[in-house]
Amino acid sequence: MTERNEPTQEVDEACSMAGPTPHALRPYQDEAIMCLRDALKAGKRRVIVYSPTGSGKTVIAAEIIRYARRKSKRVAFVCNRVELVQQTVEQLGRAGISCGVIQGDNTCTEWAPVLVCSIQTIARRGFPDVDLFIIDEAHGCAGSRDYRKMLTKASKTPCIGLTATPFSPGLGRHYKELAGPLFESIIVASTIPELIAAGYLVDLDVYAPSEPDLSGVKVVAGDYQEDQLAEAVDKPQLIGDIVDHWLKLGRGKQTVCFATSIAHSRHIVQRFQEVGIPAEHVDAYTKHEERRDIIG
C-alpha cells in the first residue's frame, strides 16, 4: 500500500470520489479505496487495483461509483465479455445502482450516469463521455488494441483497472501514444493468505495429479502458446487422471474444472459422464440462459 495522505478538494474532484463511505466495507476494501485516492492525487491516471477472486472487487467498484455519483460524475464500467456485462448490471443493481448498457443489440439508456459497456462495442461506436472509467479484468488490457485505444483516448480521464491476476506481461510497458506506461501504479487490496487468515476465504488443500509434458510448448509473451498447450494437456491419460483424483478426493462435491480449450473441456465432460458423473460444458459461446441453468 502507498503511504496515505490527507485528500484535497482538487483530488476529490479529479478522482470523482469524496465524502464518507455510505456502506460498510471490509477494512482492506476501505484501505484500497483510500490508497487509490492517494495514487490519483499523486498524478496517476491509470491505476490497477489487485484484489483476489472472492475478495469483492465489484463491491469496491460499487463504492467507487457511489462516490462518483455524490459528485454528479458520470462513470463507465467496461467489460471484455458479453456475459460479464449482464452479470455486472445485475450485481450493481443489487447494490442499488441502476445502469445503462452499451453492448451490441442490448444497448439501452445510453444517457444514464452509470454505464456498463462492452469494450468491443465502444471501441467500434466511440467511447462514452464520462468522468471515470472502471475496467474489469484489467489484466487483459496489455493484449487488447481496443483497450489501448480507449486508454489513449481517455488519457486525461482517471481509469481504474480491477483484476485478480495483475501479472500479465505488458501492463507496465511504456507506450508512445500514452507518453508513459499502460498502468502507472498498482494498489494491492489484499492477498489470498491475508484473506484466509482474516476468515474471508476458506483455506485450501492442493493435490497435484500427473503433470503434462510441456517441454515442446512455446512460450509467447510470458504465456504458453494456447494451441500447443491444449494439445499437450488434452491426453486421455491426463483426463482420466483428473477423473480418478476427483473420485478419490472430491466425490459428491460440486466442482468447477478449468480446461485449456473447448475441445479439452468437452473431453473432460465426456470422461466424467462415462463413469456416471453428471457434468456439463460451458464456454464463451454458451447462451446466458443455458449457462444459468447449468450452474444453477
Side-chain angles (χ1 to χ4, degrees), residues 131-152:
D131 302 293
L132 174 68
F133 284 99
I134 300 175
I135 303 173
D136 192 31
E137 305 290 345
H139 53 272
C141 290
S144 168
R145 291 183 180 179
D146 288 342
Y147 273 120
R148 293 202 302 272
K149 179 180 177 183
M150 187 191 83
L151 291 171
T152 301

Side-chain angles (χ1 to χ4, degrees), residues 237-286:
Q237 64 271 26
L238 293 174
I239 293 173
D241 204 15
I242 293 171
V243 175
D244 290 342
H245 272 74
W246 185 87
L247 290 170
K248 293 176 184 177
L249 302 168
R251 184 190 289 269
K253 297 179 180 179
Q254 189 173 23
T255 303
V256 177
C257 186
F258 293 96
T260 309
S261 66
I262 290 176
H264 186 212
S265 173
R266 293 190 184 280
H267 291 154
I268 294 172
V269 167
Q270 179 183 353
R271 180 66 183 123
F272 271 107
Q273 291 175 343
E274 286 173 352
V275 297
I277 305 300
E280 297 288 347
H281 164 80
V282 174
D283 60 40
Y285 304 102
T286 304

Side-chain angles (χ1 to χ4, degrees), residues 150-169:
M150 187 191 83
L151 291 171
T152 301
K153 291 284 187 180
S155 61
K156 295 183 179 180
T157 303
C159 293
I160 300 168
L162 303 175
T163 181
T165 55
F167 318 113
S168 298

Side-chain angles (χ1 to χ4, degrees), residues 13-16 40 43-47 73-76 127-135 150-160 178 182-184:
E13 292 287 349
C15 300
S16 302
L40 296 175
K44 308 299 183 184
R45 282 295 175 266
R46 297 180 298 278
V47 182
K73 303 296 185 179
R74 197 168 190 236
V75 183
F127 301 109
D129 182 16
V130 297
D131 302 293
L132 174 68
F133 284 99
I134 300 175
I135 303 173
M150 187 191 83
L151 291 171
T152 301
K153 291 284 187 180
S155 61
K156 295 183 179 180
T157 303
C159 293
I160 300 168
L178 290 172
L182 191 65
F183 284 96
E184 301 168 298

Side-chain angles (χ1 to χ4, degrees), residues 170-248:
L171 290 179
R173 178 181 172 185
H174 284 243
Y175 289 87
K176 183 178 180 180
E177 60 269 29
L178 290 172
L182 191 65
F183 284 96
E184 301 168 298
S185 183
I186 181 170
I187 303 299
V188 179
S190 191
T191 65
I192 291 176
E194 289 172 348
L195 294 173
I196 292 173
Y200 294 120
L201 292 180
V202 297
D203 205 350
L204 68 156
D205 296 318
V206 178
Y207 301 92
S210 300
E211 294 185 9
D213 180 7
L214 304 181
S215 59
V217 180
K218 293 181 180 178
V219 176
V220 179
D223 272 327
Y224 289 114
Q225 188 166 313
E226 289 187 6
D227 57 341
Q228 293 185 1
L229 179 62
E231 183 179 355
V233 300
D234 194 6
K235 305 290 187 184
Q237 64 271 26
L238 293 174
I239 293 173
D241 204 15
I242 293 171
V243 175
D244 290 342
H245 272 74
W246 185 87
L247 290 170
K248 293 176 184 177

